[in-house]
Amino acid sequence: MNDIPERDICDDVLTPPSRPADADRLRRTVLDRTSRLVRRRLWMRRAGLGAALAACYVAGVLTTRFLAPAPREVVTIPPPAEAVPLPEPSPRTLPAPAVEDWAARADDGERAALYRRAGDRYLDEESDPLAALRCYTKALSSGAGESSFSPEDNWLLMAIKNAREKEKRDAKNDS
Amino acid sequence: MGEPNERVARERGLRSAVLAGDERAWRAWYEEAYDPLYAYVLWRCGGLRDVADEVVQETWLTAVRRVRHFAPEEGAFAGWLRGIAVNLLRNHFRRTARRSTRPMPSENGGPTAAPADDALSRREGAERVARALAELSERHEAVLRVKYLEGRGVADIAAAWGETPKTVESLLTRARAAFRAAYGTPE
């Protein structure tokens, strides 16, 4: 019989091994490697923040570019052209009633010619033989020697002259 | 109750600081946890220095990459680190076990004879301890750890765990028996 208590194997093999003398070298190496990863995390975070800010800026720029109203078109107004003097009214350009009105206010020397022109215009442009007849009659009444026939006379004027001639002849015969 | 809350608040703060890239916070955390982790890994390796160095290094690199997943309210940082180390050790010994089952060619072409070399035999002994520890349940491993690695007495463990000394003594006896069985020693 053995009085010495048997030593447990656990006490032998589970006793912690002594710390290696150069354990600090590994400690520093691992610290450096892990710290580098932490630092990288910081830079990644900053880079992420920077990228987010840049994205916001770009988004803002794009928004203002695409959503802002289009610039107003500049309309250049040309300087006013120099006033062109209106042509002097003339019997050639005025309408028949105006020429007739003009003839009524004209001097005696011009009146017969103006009525004649007003009559021509009534007949040719307005197709108004009655008005033309009125003007021709006034023209013949105003102008001396106008009753003589002319190749420029139109049918209405010739008919009036003819009638006036016949009237004169009849009156002479009667007297 | 005050102490765990304090610990949770502190470790939450450190985790947030590290996630924000605060190198000083990481350094403080590292310095605080390095020695206990190294001692634990070396113990779990049966004193195999090269394996302990490799596993400790890998544990810290994993920890710094995965610190976002560390939940202080679920356990202390030291325990989380130990969990990472245990996984790495398991993988390591699984790989070496696979290698050791393959017959190595000797000079005369047959399998190698049992190594007579002292260093080799020490290594084999250490690997045996490591494998035996790896086979234990979490609770058995924990009680052996606080008893042998941290050198705490039964009363101390009982107070820390909220158990009676008798319960702890009983647990310790069962843990030792489990270790002996895994190690291959007759009871």
Side-chain angles (χ1 to χ4, degrees):
Chain A
M1 185 162 176
N2 192 357
D3 289 340
I4 303 168
E6 198 181 328
R7 188 173 160 79
D8 189 348
I9 185 74
C10 296
D11 296 330
D12 288 337
V13 299
L14 293 180
T15 303
S18 56
R19 192 170 181 274
D22 60 343
D24 276 344
R25 198 161 52 88
L26 179 70
R27 183 196 195 104
R28 279 195 304 274
T29 308
V30 176
L31 179 60
D32 285 347
R33 287 187 68 185
T34 52
S35 296
R36 213 175 302 142
L37 291 173
V38 173
R39 260 199 310 277
R40 190 185 299 167
R41 188 171 281 152
L42 176 67
W43 286 112
M44 293 294 280
R45 195 183 163 90
R46 284 181 182 168
L49 191 66
L53 286 173
C56 285
Y57 175 76
V58 170
V61 167
L62 292 178
T63 304
T64 50
R65 175 163 295 181
F66 290 113
L67 295 185
R72 289 184 184 175
E73 202 176 322
V74 179
V75 179
T76 312
I77 301 170
E82 282 185 34
V84 178
L86 290 172
E88 285 289 322
S90 90
R92 291 175 192 280
T93 55
L94 288 173
V99 178
E100 185 183 2
D101 188 51
W102 189 359
R105 287 181 280 111
D107 297 335
D108 292 341
E110 290 178 332
R111 187 174 297 144
L114 286 171
Y115 273 129
R116 165 80 188 263
R117 190 169 295 277
D120 288 345
R121 304 196 82 159
Y122 274 126
L123 191 64
D124 297 338
E125 294 168 14
E126 309 283 333
S127 301
D128 188 353
L130 287 177
L133 174 66
R134 183 180 66 237
C135 289
Y136 285 145
T137 306
K138 285 180 180 175
L140 292 175
S141 306
S142 310
E146 282 294 325
S147 57
S148 56
F149 290 94
S150 158
E152 291 171 357
D153 293 346
N154 56 36
W155 62 272
L156 182 59
L157 189 56
M158 284 175 71
I160 295 168
K161 283 182 177 176
N162 200 22
R164 286 173 75 97
E165 199 64 38
K166 193 179 173 187
E167 204 175 312
K168 279 181 189 172
R169 255 197 330 264
D170 289 346
K172 203 181 276 183
N173 291 336
D174 287 344
S175 61
Chain B
M1 284 299 280
E3 199 177 326
N5 283 344
E6 205 173 288
R7 186 217 24 105
V8 169
R10 183 172 175 277
E11 290 188 338
R12 262 195 207 138
L14 284 168
R15 186 192 60 177
S16 302
V18 170
L19 286 174
D22 187 338
E23 206 178 324
R24 280 185 310 173
W26 174 250
R27 192 178 288 267
W29 220 0
Y30 176 90
E31 294 293 355
E32 186 181 292
Y34 183 87
D35 281 342
L37 179 73
Y38 191 86
Y40 173 72
V41 173
L42 195 60
W43 179 71
R44 280 293 305 257
C45 291
L48 289 175
R49 174 76 196 282
D50 55 338
V51 178
D53 284 4
E54 184 190 322
V55 169
V56 162
Q57 187 158 215
E58 204 51 48
T59 299
W60 279 110
L61 289 171
T62 306
V64 76
R65 287 190 193 113
R66 296 179 57 85
V67 71
R68 186 183 300 278
H69 302 284
F70 165 57
E73 55 281 355
E74 288 174 15
F77 185 60
W80 185 67
L81 287 174
R82 278 201 302 271
I84 297 172
V86 164
N87 281 334
L88 291 168
L89 280 166
R90 191 179 296 132
N91 293 341
H92 173 83
F93 286 115
R94 202 175 286 155
R95 278 198 305 272
T96 55
R98 222 178 289 143
R99 274 202 297 270
S100 64
T101 53
R102 279 186 224 139
M104 291 174 71
S106 64
E107 282 176 13
N108 58 8
T112 48
D117 182 49
D118 275 356
L120 205 53
S121 111
R122 271 203 304 277
R123 184 171 193 87
E124 280 188 347
E127 285 190 358
R128 220 171 125 198
V129 171
R131 287 205 185 91
L133 282 171
E135 282 181 30
L136 298 182
S137 71
E138 205 173 314
R139 196 155 167 78
H140 285 167
E141 193 261 6
V143 76
L144 291 179
R145 170 167 53 83
V146 289
K147 172 79 178 94
Y148 289 101
L149 179 63
E150 296 175 15
R152 293 162 83 171
V154 171
D156 194 13
I157 300 168
W161 288 12
E163 305 273 10
T164 62
K166 201 175 171 185
T167 308
V168 173
E169 190 63 63
S170 165
L171 179 65
L172 203 49
T173 305
R174 278 183 276 126
R176 283 191 186 112
F179 177 79
R180 278 193 297 268
Y183 189 70
T185 313
E187 305 222 3

Short mmCIF file of all heavy atoms in Angstrom, two decimals, chain A residues 101-123:
data_model
loop_
_atom_site.label_atom_id
_atom_site.label_comp_id
_atom_site.label_asym_id
_atom_site.label_seq_id
_atom_site.Cartn_x
_atom_site.Cartn_y
_atom_site.Cartn_z
N ASP A 101 -63.69 114.94 -103.36
CA ASP A 101 -63.73 115.91 -102.27
C ASP A 101 -62.65 116.99 -102.47
O ASP A 101 -62.87 118.17 -102.24
CB ASP A 101 -63.50 115.15 -100.96
CG ASP A 101 -63.71 116.04 -99.76
OD1 ASP A 101 -64.77 116.71 -99.70
OD2 ASP A 101 -62.80 116.09 -98.88
N TRP A 102 -61.51 116.49 -102.91
CA TRP A 102 -60.40 117.40 -103.16
C TRP A 102 -60.79 118.40 -104.28
O TRP A 102 -60.55 119.61 -104.18
CB TRP A 102 -59.16 116.58 -103.55
CG TRP A 102 -57.88 117.36 -103.65
CD1 TRP A 102 -57.69 118.69 -103.45
CD2 TRP A 102 -56.61 116.82 -103.99
NE1 TRP A 102 -56.38 119.03 -103.61
CE2 TRP A 102 -55.69 117.89 -103.94
CE3 TRP A 102 -56.14 115.55 -104.31
CZ2 TRP A 102 -54.32 117.73 -104.23
CZ3 TRP A 102 -54.79 115.41 -104.59
CH2 TRP A 102 -53.87 116.47 -104.54
N ALA A 103 -61.41 117.89 -105.32
CA ALA A 103 -61.81 118.73 -106.45
C ALA A 103 -62.78 119.84 -106.02
O ALA A 103 -62.70 120.98 -106.47
CB ALA A 103 -62.47 117.85 -107.51
N ALA A 104 -63.64 119.45 -105.03
CA ALA A 104 -64.64 120.42 -104.55
C ALA A 104 -63.95 121.59 -103.87
O ALA A 104 -64.44 122.72 -103.89
CB ALA A 104 -65.59 119.73 -103.60
N ARG A 105 -62.77 121.29 -103.23
CA ARG A 105 -62.08 122.36 -102.48
C ARG A 105 -60.93 122.99 -103.30
O ARG A 105 -60.24 123.87 -102.83
CB ARG A 105 -61.52 121.78 -101.17
CG ARG A 105 -62.65 121.51 -100.16
CD ARG A 105 -62.10 120.96 -98.86
NE ARG A 105 -61.81 119.53 -98.96
CZ ARG A 105 -60.61 119.01 -98.94
NH1 ARG A 105 -59.56 119.77 -98.84
NH2 ARG A 105 -60.46 117.72 -99.05
N ALA A 106 -60.75 122.49 -104.49
CA ALA A 106 -59.61 122.96 -105.28
C ALA A 106 -59.88 124.31 -105.97
O ALA A 106 -61.02 124.77 -106.02
CB ALA A 106 -59.27 121.91 -106.33
N ASP A 107 -58.79 124.86 -106.45
CA ASP A 107 -58.93 126.13 -107.18
C ASP A 107 -59.66 125.89 -108.51
O ASP A 107 -59.72 124.76 -108.98
CB ASP A 107 -57.53 126.70 -107.49
CG ASP A 107 -56.78 127.01 -106.21
OD1 ASP A 107 -57.45 127.25 -105.17
OD2 ASP A 107 -55.52 126.95 -106.21
N ASP A 108 -60.05 126.93 -109.07
CA ASP A 108 -60.80 126.80 -110.33
C ASP A 108 -59.96 126.16 -111.43
O ASP A 108 -60.47 125.41 -112.25
CB ASP A 108 -61.27 128.19 -110.80
CG ASP A 108 -62.33 128.77 -109.85
OD1 ASP A 108 -62.93 127.94 -109.09
OD2 ASP A 108 -62.54 129.97 -109.83
N GLY A 109 -58.68 126.48 -111.41
CA GLY A 109 -57.80 125.97 -112.46
C GLY A 109 -57.65 124.45 -112.41
O GLY A 109 -57.49 123.79 -113.45
N GLU A 110 -57.72 123.90 -111.20
CA GLU A 110 -57.49 122.45 -111.04
C GLU A 110 -58.79 121.66 -111.00
O GLU A 110 -58.79 120.45 -111.20
CB GLU A 110 -56.76 122.17 -109.71
CG GLU A 110 -55.32 122.64 -109.66
CD GLU A 110 -54.70 122.36 -108.32
OE1 GLU A 110 -55.46 122.32 -107.32
OE2 GLU A 110 -53.48 122.16 -108.25
N ARG A 111 -59.85 122.33 -110.70
CA ARG A 111 -61.10 121.63 -110.36
C ARG A 111 -61.58 120.69 -111.47
O ARG A 111 -61.91 119.55 -111.23
CB ARG A 111 -62.18 122.68 -110.06
CG ARG A 111 -63.47 122.03 -109.52
CD ARG A 111 -64.49 123.07 -109.10
NE ARG A 111 -63.96 123.86 -108.01
CZ ARG A 111 -64.19 125.16 -107.85
NH1 ARG A 111 -64.89 125.82 -108.75
NH2 ARG A 111 -63.71 125.82 -106.84
N ALA A 112 -61.57 121.21 -112.75
CA ALA A 112 -62.10 120.39 -113.85
C ALA A 112 -61.30 119.11 -114.02
O ALA A 112 -61.86 118.01 -114.16
CB ALA A 112 -62.05 121.21 -115.15
N ALA A 113 -59.96 119.26 -113.90
CA ALA A 113 -59.10 118.07 -114.08
C ALA A 113 -59.32 117.06 -112.95
O ALA A 113 -59.35 115.83 -113.17
CB ALA A 113 -57.63 118.49 -114.11
N LEU A 114 -59.52 117.58 -111.73
CA LEU A 114 -59.71 116.66 -110.58
C LEU A 114 -61.04 115.93 -110.68
O LEU A 114 -61.12 114.73 -110.43
CB LEU A 114 -59.63 117.45 -109.27
CG LEU A 114 -58.21 117.88 -108.85
CD1 LEU A 114 -58.27 118.84 -107.66
CD2 LEU A 114 -57.36 116.67 -108.49
N TYR A 115 -62.08 116.68 -111.10
CA TYR A 115 -63.37 116.00 -111.26
C TYR A 115 -63.29 114.93 -112.35
O TYR A 115 -63.86 113.85 -112.24
CB TYR A 115 -64.47 117.01 -111.60
CG TYR A 115 -65.12 117.64 -110.35
CD1 TYR A 115 -65.25 119.03 -110.22
CD2 TYR A 115 -65.63 116.81 -109.34
CE1 TYR A 115 -65.83 119.60 -109.08
CE2 TYR A 115 -66.22 117.40 -108.22
CZ TYR A 115 -66.32 118.75 -108.07
OH TYR A 115 -66.90 119.29 -106.96
N ARG A 116 -62.55 115.29 -113.39
CA ARG A 116 -62.38 114.34 -114.50
C ARG A 116 -61.71 113.06 -113.99
O ARG A 116 -62.11 111.94 -114.29
CB ARG A 116 -61.51 115.02 -115.57
CG ARG A 116 -60.93 114.11 -116.63
CD ARG A 116 -61.97 113.79 -117.70
NE ARG A 116 -61.46 112.77 -118.59
CZ ARG A 116 -60.89 113.05 -119.75
NH1 ARG A 116 -60.71 114.29 -120.14
NH2 ARG A 116 -60.53 112.06 -120.57
N ARG A 117 -60.67 113.25 -113.17
CA ARG A 117 -59.94 112.10 -112.64
C ARG A 117 -60.82 111.29 -111.68
O ARG A 117 -60.83 110.05 -111.73
CB ARG A 117 -58.66 112.57 -111.90
CG ARG A 117 -57.74 111.45 -111.55
CD ARG A 117 -56.41 111.99 -111.07
NE ARG A 117 -55.68 112.70 -112.11
CZ ARG A 117 -54.92 112.10 -113.03
NH1 ARG A 117 -54.80 110.80 -113.04
NH2 ARG A 117 -54.30 112.80 -113.95
N ALA A 118 -61.57 112.00 -110.83
CA ALA A 118 -62.48 111.31 -109.90
C ALA A 118 -63.51 110.49 -110.69
O ALA A 118 -63.79 109.34 -110.34
CB ALA A 118 -63.18 112.32 -109.02
N GLY A 119 -64.01 111.05 -111.79
CA GLY A 119 -64.96 110.32 -112.63
C GLY A 119 -64.33 109.07 -113.21
O GLY A 119 -64.94 107.99 -113.21
N ASP A 120 -63.08 109.23 -113.72
CA ASP A 120 -62.39 108.06 -114.28
C ASP A 120 -62.28 106.93 -113.23
O ASP A 120 -62.49 105.77 -113.54
CB ASP A 120 -60.97 108.45 -114.74
CG ASP A 120 -61.00 109.31 -116.03
OD1 ASP A 120 -62.07 109.34 -116.69
OD2 ASP A 120 -59.96 109.94 -116.34
N ARG A 121 -61.93 107.34 -112.05
CA ARG A 121 -61.69 106.33 -111.01
C ARG A 121 -62.99 105.68 -110.57
O ARG A 121 -63.02 104.48 -110.32
CB ARG A 121 -60.99 106.96 -109.81
CG ARG A 121 -59.71 107.62 -110.24
CD ARG A 121 -58.83 107.88 -109.10
NE ARG A 121 -58.10 106.67 -108.76
CZ ARG A 121 -56.97 106.68 -108.08
NH1 ARG A 121 -56.47 107.82 -107.68
NH2 ARG A 121 -56.36 105.57 -107.82
N TYR A 122 -64.03 106.50 -110.45
CA TYR A 122 -65.33 105.89 -110.11
C TYR A 122 -65.71 104.84 -111.15
O TYR A 122 -66.17 103.76 -110.80
CB TYR A 122 -66.43 106.95 -110.04
CG TYR A 122 -66.56 107.64 -108.67
CD1 TYR A 122 -66.51 109.03 -108.56
CD2 TYR A 122 -66.79 106.87 -107.52
CE1 TYR A 122 -66.64 109.67 -107.33
CE2 TYR A 122 -66.92 107.52 -106.29
CZ TYR A 122 -66.84 108.89 -106.18
OH TYR A 122 -66.98 109.50 -104.97
N LEU A 123 -65.45 105.16 -112.39
CA LEU A 123 -65.87 104.26 -113.46
C LEU A 123 -64.98 103.03 -113.54
O LEU A 123 -65.46 101.91 -113.63
CB LEU A 123 -65.87 105.01 -114.81
CG LEU A 123 -66.55 104.28 -115.97
CD1 LEU A 123 -68.05 104.10 -115.70
CD2 LEU A 123 -66.37 105.03 -117.28
#
